[in-house]
Amino acid sequence: MPFEDLETQRLLLKRLATDDAAHIQQKFPHWEIVKYLDSNAVPWPYPANGGENFVNNVALPAIQNQKAYVWSLRIKTNPDEFIGVIGLYTKPDNNRGFWLSLEYQGQGLMREACERVTGYWFNELGQTVLRVAKASVNDKSRRISLAEGMKVIRTEKKKYVSGQFDSEIWELTREDWLKQQKQCRHRHESR
């Protein structure tokens, strides 16, 4: 399966590259970004080589083995500025993860990126179910899942960087996603 760059109305999603490690090291290690991430996946305090380790030892090998599809996020009007990461993963119950630089949060950009990679998951990769895990207290991430029509199918305890919380497993089936896409197109066409 070819792994390609993607785009949305406002964003460029570029395949993660070795050069992105320095950007990750600068933009990622902020408490507001990491506090609701899996403590098994994110070391805290974030080490000085954390971005390099993630890119070279985690993300790129997973991409090479077709177990992940990871993109850097960039604004179309400033394509050289790295603003975050979004990825799709073949992990059970955790198929999508993301983070966004603090200065770009609250503008609907991550929702836009999620919409595009969810389409990639179902259309290009031919998957039938998308599942994501998130801390129940992570309201921003929960709003994205709700907007996509996802449903909570299970809750369990999980350790996050900021402590142990209920972790919700959200699910969206390809069938439900296609119905929602059809409804959105119908609403858009009837305007």
Side-chain angles (χ1 to χ4, degrees):
M1 176 74 219
F3 175 31
E4 56 205 30
D5 292 346
L6 306 174
E7 64 180 81
T8 69
Q9 183 178 346
R10 298 180 290 170
L11 295 170
L12 296 172
L13 286 71
K14 307 283 282 174
R15 285 181 57 153
L16 194 72
T18 304
D19 294 349
D20 292 327
H23 300 295
I24 291 170
Q25 192 65 42
Q26 178 192 12
K27 302 268 187 173
F28 177 71
H30 296 278
W31 186 250
E32 286 302 311
I33 292 173
V34 304
K35 67 183 179 181
Y36 297 132
L37 298 180
D38 184 340
S39 64
N40 291 319
V42 177
W44 193 257
Y46 202 61
N49 68 341
E52 182 182 333
N53 183 60
F54 170 74
V55 171
N56 295 325
N57 300 325
V58 178
L60 293 180
I63 291 167
Q64 182 70 31
N65 294 325
Q66 295 185 327
K67 293 180 184 240
Y69 303 83
V70 185
W71 296 269
S72 67
L73 299 175
R74 294 154 191 277
I75 300 286
K76 280 184 174 177
T77 56
N78 188 7
D80 292 331
E81 185 179 4
F82 176 103
I83 66 167
V85 170
I86 190 165
L88 293 169
Y89 306 92
T90 59
K91 299 174 188 172
D93 293 336
N94 200 10
N95 304 132
R96 188 182 66 204
F98 54 78
W99 64 269
L100 188 63
S101 296
L102 296 173
E103 65 271 25
Y104 287 96
Q105 293 183 9
Q107 300 173 36
L109 294 169
M110 191 52 74
R111 184 172 170 184
E112 196 173 304
C114 284
E115 190 175 295
R116 180 62 185 99
V117 301
T118 297
Y120 190 84
W121 180 256
F122 289 127
N123 292 331
E124 284 88 346
L125 298 178
Q127 299 292 328
T128 58
V129 175
L130 176 76
R131 288 190 178 151
V132 297
K134 59 188 76 208
S136 61
V137 294
N138 189 347
D139 290 332
K140 291 177 184 177
S141 186
R142 291 179 91 247
R143 283 195 294 268
I144 290 171
S145 293
L146 283 168
E148 287 185 309
M150 297 184 98
K151 296 175 177 80
V152 176
I153 61 165
R154 189 170 75 247
T155 303
E156 57 200 24
K157 293 286 185 194
K158 186 174 176 182
K159 188 139 174 49
Y160 292 91
V161 172
S162 59
Q164 185 167 312
F165 297 102
D166 284 339
S167 177
E168 299 170 336
I169 307 298
W170 292 69
E171 180 180 273
L172 180 63
T173 64
R174 183 175 196 277
E175 182 181 333
D176 286 345
W177 181 78
L178 287 170
K179 282 182 200 170
Q180 185 177 1
Q181 296 303 301
K182 189 175 181 180
Q183 290 170 348
C184 286
R185 278 192 302 276
H186 179 71
R187 279 195 303 269
H188 185 71
E189 291 167 358
S190 62
R191 287 183 188 169

